[in-house]
Amino acid sequence: MNLLHHLNPPQKEAVLHGEGPLLILAGAGSGKTRVIVHRIAHLIKELGIPPWQILAVTFTNKAAGEMRERVEKLVGPGEAPLIATFHSACVRILRREIQRLGYDPNFAIYDDKDSEKLLKEVVAELHLDEKRFPAKMFSSAIDECKNAGLLPGDLPTSDYMQEKIAQVYTAYQARLQKCNAVDFGDLILLTVRLFDEHPEVLRHYQDRFRWILVDEYQDTNPVQYRLVKLLAGSLRNLCVVGDDDQSIYRWRGADIRNILDFEQDFPGVKVVKLEQNYRSTRTILTAAGSVVARNRGRKPKTLWTDNPLGEKIVYRRLTDERDEARFVSREIERHVRKGGDLRDVAVFYRTNAQSRVLEDALVADGIPYRMVGAVRFYERLEIKDILAYLKVLDNPADEISLKRIINTPARGIGHATVDKVGELAAARGITLYEALREASSGGLLGAGPRGKLAAFGALMENFRILAGAVSLAELASRLIQETGYADRLKGERTPEADDRLANLQELLSALEEFDRSSGEKGLSAFLEQVALVSDLERSDAGVEAATFMTLHSAKGLEFPLVFIVGMEERLFPHVRALDDPHQMEEERRLCYVGMTRAKERLFLTNARRRRIFGQEQFNSPSRFFDDIPREFLDLEEERQGAGSSQWGTFGRFSQGSHDTDRHNLAAIFETEIEPDFPEVEVVPDEAEDAVYLGMKVRHGKFGVGTIRKVEGEGDNQKVIVWFNTVGPKKLLVRFAGLERV
DNA sequence: CGGCTAGTCATTTTT
DNA sequence: TGACTAGCCG
């Protein structure tokens, strides 16, 4: 197979580049992944590089998975190199080497919640006032430090606050180490520290990974950059791919300078620009480009496309957010009526709070949707509880998990008891788990608590023995039963408790699957996957439903039909960005990312009036409209033949005089639109035999319910179902996938 | 221990 | 406005 066959000249150039640093500036929709995948295949198949000498790094598991799949298609199954996220690549290294830094190889990985809990304890121990020094503040400060690659000793102690942060950071790290745990930031930072402090280890990995590729390079933070630079060493076979215009994670420590200054940092670098877009219509691409073109800190580039001009971008200013949602819902319905597929539709918003009213509207119209990044499976209470048991079995030093389960379900071990054991542990310099055993025999506690601790200790010891003997699914199943966790939930007899039980069942299925596919890799491996993957691969990706997500999670995706809602000043761009030019540039990039997700049709909407935190707001249209050439927009007023001449002034506004101009523009954008989209009139029809009043049905999302009303017939038939969990829902029978119970 | 209430806080969140 | 949480009381 000819690897170069379907590549354009710059793509070929990037694929064929040999040794030495390579920077690929890949605009939106320019075939970036295609280039990386082909480059990897080229290294292996043409240059004869052994796959194990190649390391490809991405930011998400999803991206890594996709890339691996595509590489395997080119080089054959099992022949792909290590393609991993930054975090999982680091875990791999740390599992082998972390003893050099004073941790055990079975270290736990704390998520944000776990580490904040630990931080709270640290703040309390240092007798700091929680009001003046909230744990959250330290949490983000420490996170920033870790992103920047700073150890506690690197912090300036000039002012009081800095000093406190350094103090808490130091104590926090000590506590983490005592728990034999690391947080997300540590995964990267400890790896860098390992390389700094143990040059021979670094040399080993430099020798191993001779070819390195980094995807989404614009999102790397300074430690990640340092890590990459260390690994690339003197061979400098480093290929980074990114787009400065799509850098939207500055607030999380991503440093856009990593990509802007790459050429200075790696003299002699080969730079390839991928500027042909294969995704969007010319209208969409040009409009998006004009929004981001206003930014100062960007690499000059011009995206172009051979695609047709396509339809105009629809702009609508609606009365309020509910009206806006109904508009979206109606347009989606129209798309479906024309024979369109719901999987082609995505709705993006700036803040999660906006999703709710959209959900309501789609539910009311019976249009199925799925929300990306909503409640994560592994973050559910009951799942975290059972996982905490597993974590203690795997790593008894894990104090946070131990404290979580010691009285869950309730077994009469209160705070006072735990505190006493904690003091004992501190005094003896042993772990809480070890102190447990001592306290359950010594004279520290009264007979009651002592007995309860002893019982808990015995329970855990039994499970530890069991853990070595049975499968993970079996272990967890017995854990759920024998700790009384299941009984407690069953006793509640509420829909919520039933949900929880169902979730636990799902956890068991995930464990079974892991037992089957991973070949006895064991508890540590499973917990690691949980920590790093954060969500269960849900099989609903192929379900016919519209997709809702924040603009941030939209990066890397594409849809034929895209809605961006809430295009208003103070919402998008967000209020917090209004007085910070750097943040404003990021908002612009975010807008660019959102718009360039659309392949064929783009809808931009906003609301004149919006309730935010119970407050009415009247926001003018987003300033991003200032930069979209007027001829690319479909405004309703145009159809009515009004006001088009006013558009001559469009686009001339300078950033400096924004506020007054804003009002002019707002006036221009006030378009005559039906204030309301009334509910569809429907004729009840009870003769239909597929569904009937009073029928008990099950819905994939809402569970079991009873049909209270049937409306319409054929494709448009709707039912109102009274669900046990969520109450009444109106559903389109065709889509609801109702199952008779 | 657990259930309630009053007070707080509200951008985005790949791992 | 509404979701979450710390702290109090039964």
Side-chain angles (χ1 to χ4, degrees):
Chain A
M1 175 178 25
N2 186 351
L3 284 175
L4 303 175
H5 213 59
H6 298 289
L7 300 175
N8 67 29
Q11 288 179 335
K12 265 183 212 165
E13 211 181 333
V15 168
L16 291 175
H17 172 78
E19 298 188 340
L22 170 65
L23 168 63
I24 303 173
L25 292 169
S30 64
K32 173 192 72 162
T33 309
R34 188 186 184 80
V35 167
I36 303 182
V37 163
H38 277 78
R39 180 167 166 79
I40 292 172
H42 180 255
L43 290 174
I44 295 170
K45 298 283 254 195
E46 304 297 328
L47 304 187
I49 315 274
W52 48 266
Q53 286 187 0
I54 301 171
L55 170 67
V57 191
T58 64
F59 277 84
T60 67
N61 294 295
K62 197 170 158 225
E66 249 169 57
M67 199 178 288
R68 190 174 309 114
E69 208 170 283
R70 286 176 65 174
V71 169
E72 282 190 349
K73 264 194 194 140
L74 294 180
V75 302
E79 294 298 304
L82 178 58
I83 300 176
T85 63
F86 267 103
H87 296 267
S88 61
C90 285
V91 171
R92 249 177 121 108
I93 294 171
L94 289 176
R95 288 271 182 229
R96 297 175 65 114
E97 318 285 351
I98 203 167
Q99 272 159 307
R100 299 170 198 263
L101 298 176
Y103 295 75
D104 283 343
N106 63 328
F107 59 86
I109 301 167
Y110 277 3
D111 66 21
D112 298 340
K113 289 253 170 62
D114 295 331
S115 62
E116 209 176 296
K117 241 183 226 161
L118 189 60
L119 215 35
K120 256 190 196 141
E121 290 187 11
V122 170
V123 170
E125 273 161 28
L126 293 174
H127 306 294
L128 293 170
D129 176 21
E130 266 266 17
K131 285 275 176 309
R132 215 150 58 93
F133 300 99
K136 263 203 170 28
M137 187 261 296
F138 288 112
S139 167
S140 57
I142 291 173
D143 196 48
E144 268 175 49
C145 289
K146 290 184 175 178
N147 286 338
L150 299 172
L151 300 170
D154 300 331
L155 295 188
T157 47
S158 43
D159 72 282
Y160 184 69
M161 206 38 143
Q162 285 290 339
E163 197 187 311
K164 285 290 161 227
I165 290 171
Q167 194 186 349
V168 172
Y169 185 5
T170 309
Y172 168 70
Q173 286 308 117
R175 285 293 303 273
L176 271 178
Q177 191 160 356
K178 201 172 264 169
C179 293
N180 192 32
V182 305
D183 62 20
F184 283 133
D186 280 342
L187 289 174
I188 318 285
L189 186 52
L190 286 180
T191 309
V192 167
R193 227 187 88 198
L194 172 78
F195 289 159
D196 279 341
E197 293 172 14
H198 301 274
E200 74 285 1
V201 179
L202 174 61
R203 270 197 300 279
H204 171 260
Y205 286 95
Q206 283 174 334
D207 196 49
R208 155 95 204 259
F209 298 119
R210 289 157 177 251
W211 297 83
I212 298 168
L213 300 94
V214 184
D215 189 20
E216 304 281 16
Y217 187 68
Q218 74 282 352
D219 290 334
T220 48
N221 61 36
V223 227
Q224 288 165 333
Y225 172 64
R226 197 101 187 277
L227 179 70
V228 166
K229 202 169 174 180
L230 282 168
L231 274 177
S234 54
L235 283 175
R236 304 199 318 149
N237 289 328
L238 174 62
C239 164
V240 303
V241 189
D243 180 3
D244 49 306
D245 286 336
Q246 292 187 63
S247 164
I248 53 174
Y249 286 106
R250 191 180 83 106
W251 51 276
R252 260 175 55 168
D255 194 340
I256 194 169
R257 280 174 307 186
N258 286 164
I259 196 161
L260 295 178
D261 298 345
F262 192 79
E263 291 170 75
Q264 280 143 259
D265 287 350
F266 288 88
V269 60
K270 165 109 182 162
V271 181
V272 177
K273 287 186 187 183
L274 306 179
E275 296 182 295
Q276 180 174 3
N277 171 293
Y278 295 95
R279 181 186 296 149
S280 309
T281 64
R282 220 156 72 228
T283 296
I284 291 168
L285 189 69
T286 320
S290 46
V291 170
V292 84
R294 194 186 265 280
N295 282 353
R296 288 154 178 268
R298 63 188 289 262
K299 296 227 169 211
K301 68 182 86 62
T302 318
L303 270 189
W304 59 278
T305 183
D306 271 342
N307 291 343
L309 196 58
E311 293 185 60
K312 286 190 181 182
I313 296 166
V314 174
Y315 168 73
R316 291 291 183 274
R317 183 155 172 76
L318 289 308
T319 304
D320 59 28
E321 73 272 20
R322 296 176 40 154
D323 211 29
E324 184 184 42
R326 259 173 301 201
F327 171 76
V328 169
S329 181
R330 285 310 183 69
E331 286 298 328
I332 296 176
E333 213 167 32
R334 188 201 300 232
H335 165 78
V336 174
R337 267 206 305 276
K338 283 191 300 188
D341 192 310
L342 278 179
R343 278 165 291 210
D344 290 347
V345 181
V347 185
F348 305 151
Y349 34 81
R350 177 67 241 264
T351 67
N352 282 118
Q354 291 166 258
S355 68
R356 200 164 166 156
V357 60
L358 286 163
E359 286 189 80
D360 290 346
L362 286 246
V363 167
D365 287 342
I367 301 172
Y369 62 89
R370 62 190 190 105
M371 280 184 48
V372 172
V375 234
R376 292 184 172 167
F377 184 73
Y378 290 121
E379 281 171 16
R380 288 162 205 241
L381 186 84
E382 63 279 12
I383 302 299
K384 285 210 79 168
D385 284 341
I386 298 307
L387 287 176
Y389 275 98
L390 295 174
K391 283 165 95 169
V392 173
L393 294 177
D394 185 48
N395 173 28
D398 182 345
E399 212 174 281
I400 293 294
S401 297
L402 178 55
K403 281 183 178 162
R404 186 181 181 107
I405 59 167
I406 196 163
N407 200 33
T408 311
R411 47 174 77 88
I413 304 175
H415 282 132
T417 307
V418 176
D419 285 348
K420 274 189 193 156
V421 181
E423 280 162 29
L424 177 70
R428 298 272 184 86
I430 55 181
T431 65
L432 192 66
Y433 193 87
E434 288 162 341
L436 218 59
R437 196 171 324 171
E438 304 233 339
S440 58
S441 57
L444 178 74
L445 301 163
R450 210 192 306 147
K452 285 165 181 165
L453 276 189
F456 174 71
L459 180 83
M460 291 307 285
E461 280 309 312
N462 276 337
F463 279 122
R464 286 192 70 180
I465 295 164
L466 194 65
V470 300
S471 72
L472 295 181
E474 167 89 20
L475 177 66
S477 167
R478 293 189 48 179
L479 216 38
I480 294 168
Q481 298 307 323
E482 288 166 31
T483 57
Y485 201 96
D487 287 340
R488 193 190 60 169
L489 283 175
K490 278 179 197 150
E492 279 185 36
R493 304 203 155 277
T494 61
E496 292 79 38
D498 289 347
D499 268 1
R500 300 214 151 133
L501 283 165
N503 287 335
L504 289 175
Q505 199 52 53
E506 205 168 335
L507 174 67
L508 291 181
S509 313
L511 278 159
E512 270 168 30
E513 174 58 32
F514 189 84
D515 281 327
R516 207 168 338 150
S517 65
S518 72
E520 313 227 331
K521 270 212 233 141
L523 197 45
S524 301
F526 178 75
L527 293 172
E528 178 179 316
Q529 184 186 297
V530 168
L532 296 182
V533 172
S534 87
D535 209 357
L536 214 49
E537 237 357 283
R538 296 304 187 91
S539 53
D540 63 0
V543 170
E544 183 167 357
T547 307
F548 287 2
M549 68 183 96
T550 62
L551 283 148
H552 281 88
S553 16
K555 199 180 61 163
L557 305 175
E558 60 176 35
F559 298 88
L561 190 62
V562 165
F563 294 82
I564 304 179
V565 298
M567 298 268 310
E568 300 147 40
E569 288 292 299
R570 311 186 62 193
L571 190 56
F572 191 33
H574 196 268
V575 230
R576 309 274 277 247
L578 293 186
D579 50 6
D580 178 347
H582 290 288
Q583 282 203 52
M584 185 56 78
E585 294 212 339
E586 183 138 316
E587 297 286 305
R588 258 177 209 287
R589 293 192 291 267
L590 194 55
C591 185
Y592 173 76
V593 167
M595 292 176 77
T596 52
R597 300 308 97 195
K599 295 165 86 166
E600 288 154 24
R601 300 214 63 197
L602 180 59
F603 289 79
L604 307 176
T605 64
N606 58 27
R608 282 196 184 79
R609 166 164 50 91
R610 185 181 297 273
R611 274 188 104 73
I612 290 180
F613 311 144
Q615 291 274 293
E616 298 256 273
Q617 278 190 8
F618 296 84
N619 297 326
S620 38
S622 172
R623 68 187 63 193
F624 303 145
F625 288 114
D626 297 15
D627 302 304
I628 301 175
R630 190 243 167 291
E631 66 266 27
F632 293 139
L633 290 175
D634 158 13
L635 306 148
E636 193 134 79
E637 62 178 0
E638 198 179 27
R639 266 186 232 154
Q640 298 164 349
S644 30
S645 63
Q646 295 174 50
W647 287 93
T649 55
F650 196 51
R652 73 179 164 79
F653 305 117
S654 68
Q655 226 156 5
S657 59
H658 238 304
D659 261 314
T660 41
D661 287 337
R662 180 101 272 107
H663 294 291
N664 298 334
L665 196 68
I668 293 164
F669 265 102
E670 297 290 337
T671 56
E672 291 305 314
I673 292 174
E674 278 291 298
D676 252 332
F677 293 81
E679 297 269 302
V680 216
E681 281 298 322
V682 279
V683 187
D685 178 4
E686 285 158 34
E688 180 66 38
D689 56 0
V691 293
Y692 55 87
L693 277 182
M695 183 167 108
K696 277 210 185 307
V697 291
R698 184 192 317 270
H699 182 269
K701 189 167 184 149
F702 304 126
V704 174
T706 311
I707 294 185
R708 290 290 178 90
K709 193 169 183 194
V710 185
E711 300 170 342
E713 54 184 271
D715 272 0
N716 264 326
Q717 185 171 56
K718 294 176 186 178
V719 288
I720 292 179
V721 182
W722 207 277
F723 289 102
N724 299 335
T725 44
V726 288
K729 293 283 171 199
K730 193 172 183 179
L731 303 164
L732 210 51
V733 174
R734 182 157 56 110
F735 285 131
L738 293 174
E739 214 184 291
R740 196 185 194 134
V741 185

